[in-house]
Amino acid sequence: ELKVEQNPLFLSMQEGKNYTIYCNYSTTSDRLYWYRQDPGKSLESLFVLLSNGAVKQEGRLMASLDTKARLSTLHITAAVHDLSATYFCAVEANFGNEKLTFGTGTRLTIIP
Amino acid sequence: DVKVTQSSRYLVKRTGEKVFLECVQDMDHENMFWYRQDPGLGLRLIYFSYDVKMKEKGDIPEGYSVSREKKERFSLILESASTNQTSMYLCASSLTDVNEKLFFGSGTQLSVL
């Protein structure tokens, strides 16, 4: 059974600081997704990582994938308040049926 | 823009009632999914469907069933609602393609009293 773990579960950080959210998963996969959820809203896709070494960046967020370590990171650079949200990673196991297993989420709060 | 529409934002039902949650997508996606979201547990897959009249169990199908009579519509059914089914329910859809991601609806917060 595929398990996906995120840490930390809660993160409170000051504006302007850098931090990293980690996503570990338990079985072989080369497809990993990051989503953002604002309070009371649905999930919005951020990044799709499809191979070992993949790196995607948008604004102050950068995601990377190491399939050998079964690890993805979401790095936040010079955080701003607008980035406050819950971030989920999701993994598709390598049997190609499009089914995603989600992590428990990281609730990020940026303090002015 | 892809649109995944869930018919109700909030629902309050009584224990034992039969509950229907409806989801419609307008992008001709083959795949549709129902997840439930609970604090501390993330999203858990209930059922999914690759095509009309096809369905597959997810990780937590007990107490639920689904129906997909048309490509654009995927319904989640709680045959006899129980209090432990109080949750946020999220519908999603996707194309069958290596680069495609899930598109989510806005969610239905179901309370079973």
Side-chain angles (χ1 to χ4, degrees):
Chain A
E1 180 190 346
L2 173 59
K3 292 194 186 301
V4 181
E5 292 185 352
Q6 283 181 242
N7 69 84
L9 298 184
F10 298 94
L11 176 57
S12 188
M13 55 190 290
Q14 287 187 314
E15 277 191 328
K17 300 288 188 186
N18 303 335
Y19 209 82
T20 301
I21 299 170
Y22 298 88
C23 175
N24 291 90
Y25 53 97
S26 61
T27 63
T28 303
S29 175
D30 54 9
R31 288 199 217 179
L32 191 137
Y33 304 76
W34 283 96
Y35 287 84
R36 168 184 172 144
Q37 185 179 38
D38 292 302
K41 301 282 181 65
S42 191
L43 278 75
E44 172 192 352
S45 176
L46 291 174
F47 300 111
V48 181
L49 303 169
L50 298 175
S51 62
N52 187 40
V55 177
K56 295 274 184 78
Q57 182 164 6
E58 184 163 334
R60 301 173 188 273
L61 299 178
M62 184 174 72
S64 65
L65 178 61
D66 180 342
T67 58
K68 292 179 182 176
R70 299 178 186 170
L71 170 69
S72 179
T73 60
L74 181 65
H75 187 73
I76 303 146
T77 302
V80 294
H81 181 68
D82 286 353
L83 292 179
S84 296
T86 300
Y87 293 86
F88 291 93
C89 64
V91 177
E92 179 178 343
N94 276 349
F95 45 81
N97 70 356
E98 316 289 333
K99 190 178 94 165
L100 296 187
T101 300
F102 282 77
T104 52
T106 297
R107 183 181 291 183
L108 173 64
T109 303
I110 310 296
I111 303 165
Chain B
D1 276 354
V2 175
K3 203 154 191 181
V4 181
T5 304
Q6 294 183 232
S7 54
S8 303
R9 186 72 179 92
Y10 299 96
L11 270 181
V12 180
K13 297 291 181 181
R14 295 203 175 276
T15 303
E17 277 193 78
K18 190 169 186 175
V19 182
F20 292 86
L21 302 183
E22 305 288 345
C23 176
V24 178
Q25 51 94 2
D26 65 359
M27 287 304 292
D28 205 32
H29 285 177
E30 296 96 349
N31 309 315
M32 296 189 76
F33 305 81
W34 276 106
Y35 287 86
R36 66 177 280 177
Q37 183 179 12
D38 300 287
L41 297 176
L43 277 73
R44 293 179 292 165
L45 182 63
I46 305 171
Y47 266 96
F48 57 109
S49 168
Y50 296 132
D51 203 348
V52 176
K53 296 193 187 296
M54 294 184 66
K55 59 185 178 184
E56 298 277 346
K57 291 180 181 179
D59 299 318
I60 50 163
E62 296 79 18
Y64 303 95
S65 63
V66 290
S67 172
R68 193 160 180 205
E69 296 295 319
K70 294 185 177 181
K71 191 175 185 180
E72 67 270 20
R73 185 180 297 268
F74 193 35
S75 303
L76 180 69
I77 304 154
L78 288 67
E79 295 289 341
S80 177
S82 62
T83 54
N84 63 11
Q85 293 178 308
T86 291
S87 185
M88 171 66 82
Y89 289 87
L90 293 167
C91 175
S93 71
S94 72
L95 282 171
T96 301
D97 184 279
V98 68
N99 290 316
E100 288 299 325
K101 52 189 180 281
L102 290 181
F103 292 88
F104 283 87
S106 55
T108 296
Q109 179 63 53
L110 173 67
S111 298
V112 183
L113 306 178

